[in-house]
Amino acid sequence: MTTPDLAVIGGGQLARMMQPPAIALGLRIRLLAEGPDVSAAQVIPDHVVGDHTVLADLRAVVADAPVVTFDHEHVPPEHLRTLDAEGHACRPGPHALLYAQDKAAMRSRLTELGVPCPRHAPIATPADLEEFGYPAVLKTTRGGYDGKGVWVVRSASDADEAFAADRPLLAEELVDFRRELSALVARNPSGEVRSYAVVESRQVDGVCAEVVAPAPDLDPSLAAEARSLAERIATELDVTGILAVELFETADGRLLVNELAMRPHNTGHWSIDGAETSQFENHLRSVLDLPLGCTHARAPWTVMVNVLGGRVTDLEAQRTVVLAAEPDVKVHLYGKSVKAGRKVGHVTAFGDDLDDVLARARHAAELFTTG
Amino acid sequence: MTTPDLAVIGGGQLARMMQPPAIALGLRIRLLAEGPDVSAAQVIPDHVVGDHTVLADLRAVVADAPVVTFDHEHVPPEHLRTLDAEGHACRPGPHALLYAQDKAAMRSRLTELGVPCPRHAPIATPADLEEFGYPAVLKTTRGGYDGKGVWVVRSASDADEAFAADRPLLAEELVDFRRELSALVARNPSGEVRSYAVVESRQVDGVCAEVVAPAPDLDPSLAAEARSLAERIATELDVTGILAVELFETADGRLLVNELAMRPHNTGHWSIDGAETSQFENHLRSVLDLPLGCTHARAPWTVMVNVLGGRVTDLEAQRTVVLAAEPDVKVHLYGKSVKAGRKVGHVTAFGDDLDDVLARARHAAELFTTG
């Protein structure tokens, strides 16, 4: 194999969706995959099977790769620092990624920067939680995602499971929010920053269900504030690649930062079919310090609906049914076997009429899920 | 490797550009590649190195693939018939592909169908050519492409090289044309047909240099005629996959069919960034008998300019220069080494103002060629 332009750690759907823009740009990816036929390994020829928590496996993959980026945020920080010291540019770097890996560190840093956050406090004991007060959201500071490692607690007994996990916890106020928004930016090491339209993200059971771009009826001043917050966070934390800032729009019309992710994000999948440059292309351009592409939307409305594993088990056979019913919806399957609730694909529709676009995308996703 | 959904014969840029929509749709391609690192082999994990003129190599690749399609039209017809008889659906089939492989057969069949063609005649001897008259265009009936195997003859001596090749020849009138157009359609075995906007194709030395979609100032009735001609040819010849019909718009405002191609075509590359469903996605959907996607343009104007090998030898290094100068142009590199005049990539720009779109695409292509 020829020398890769970059190494990607993790073989999930995010790495898979980096491959189409890599093909267009003529970039060669070397992948560290969890298994020989995981989602991204199916489509990236130059892949090595290994474990992202094992330094030797990481070293084998990045050997002749000048740049390293990630499908997820689970590589141990000490390994990132070692790779960095050995001359492989980790993008984002460990100093930035820390704030996506550790929610307590993220909250302290954002508060220091004056970024609006929910009220929060580190929790070591039940007494700390009593002092913080109820209702509260308890989170493990590390390792949670898609609603895992998160508990809404309204009394001491609700917190038993959280304390039983015996991991560092953070309490946050239970925000009275109107909806969830997401602000995505790409930033390269030269400092160029481009932000996407702020989107509305609709969650079911803590998992992103659908995304509407742009967020309907969003006050233009709030949209501008969200974009500028995301741009400022990317710059202040020295993020390289895509940064997703998940936000609450509160019932009283303020923005509060919920979570940060430093990689292409589910709330940015709409951009593959909906923006001039997708988040995956701009992620690659960012981490390779290439000039960034235009983030403008290509249609008045773009809607992305996740395909979660459901009653339909043969997605490939169902693809024909979906394309017959909704031929103009864009289908994205991740090459994963179906398990209940697992993200196995997404669909995107775009057009001038939001109701029509929503209906088509939801119909296609429903056909993939319940048939 | 898992069972492929289809086999693709030939590892050039057309096969390479099938991979991004295959990734999205969750389709697995098995590739017959001319070498281990040819354009498409770089991006399709499941590839076999072999020769498309050797039946054993073809059989090895298509073994467990229900459908076979092509990067080029050079597979011997007898091999296609064998594969077909052995239960592998060749799409397009040998009965259709014949008309893209043999220009004499194409001219007879189209004339039979009443499709307007340049005046033409088979040429066996110099006397036949004298009878046909000058000026004429002499073509080998098989194997020509990108201006190869084509001679403009104004007198007997101009034809020496053509006769020396000792291959079946066809003479055609030298058409007085205003410009060249191209009409692209996708057709699946169920008979569904979708056509793209008619484009203008600008050639330099017999090679496509740039494509403007849609063709500027094209009379709407000529545009409709071109689309309906292409749809009719696809149906009458039972083409499956993409059919490109290259046309002359004559000085006196008529359409004449120049060439047919039965695969994704250079004049359709604009559709990757410019249409709701690219020609590559619709080719895959066609050959797998999936319902077809919307062919509408996503911007008022889309311009594709080829990157031909020139003074710039390191395209990867030059990519940074191009993206800095024209960040909003879409770059497509084919992973090929640079040779003078070789198609090594293309760039696409889109927008509301044709002059601006043309200028940006040409500038990017020029930076990739002459620096």
Side-chain angles (χ1 to χ4, degrees), chain A residues 16 23-25 28 37 42 45 273 276-277 281 285 290 294 298 319-320 327-328 330-333, chain B residues 16 23-25 28 37 42 45 273 276-277 281 285 290 294 298 319-320 327-328 330-333:
Chain A
R16 180 185 177 99
I23 292 172
L25 291 167
R28 298 197 186 214
D37 200 46
Q42 294 166 23
D273 302 300
E276 294 200 12
T277 311
E281 177 171 346
R285 288 164 73 160
L290 293 167
C294 178
R298 298 203 67 178
R319 183 175 47 211
T320 308
D328 304 338
K330 307 313 289 180
V331 166
H332 298 264
L333 296 179
Chain B
R16 179 185 177 99
I23 292 173
L25 291 168
R28 298 197 186 215
D37 199 46
Q42 294 166 24
D273 302 299
E276 293 200 12
T277 311
E281 178 171 346
R285 288 165 72 160
L290 293 168
C294 178
R298 298 203 66 178
R319 183 174 47 211
T320 307
D328 304 338
K330 306 314 289 179
V331 166
H332 298 264
L333 296 179

Side-chain angles (χ1 to χ4, degrees), chain B residues 309-357:
Chain B
R311 255 207 317 263
V312 173
T313 53
D314 187 346
L315 295 175
E316 286 66 33
Q318 192 67 1
R319 183 174 47 211
T320 307
V321 175
V322 171
L323 291 176
E326 297 293 348
D328 304 338
V329 158
K330 306 314 289 179
V331 166
H332 298 264
L333 296 179
Y334 302 158
K336 293 183 162 186
S337 60
V338 172
K339 290 180 198 164
R342 185 185 205 191
K343 288 178 185 170
V344 291
H346 74 266
V347 295
T348 308
F350 48 80
D352 299 332
D353 182 288
L354 178 55
D355 289 339
D356 166 67
V357 170

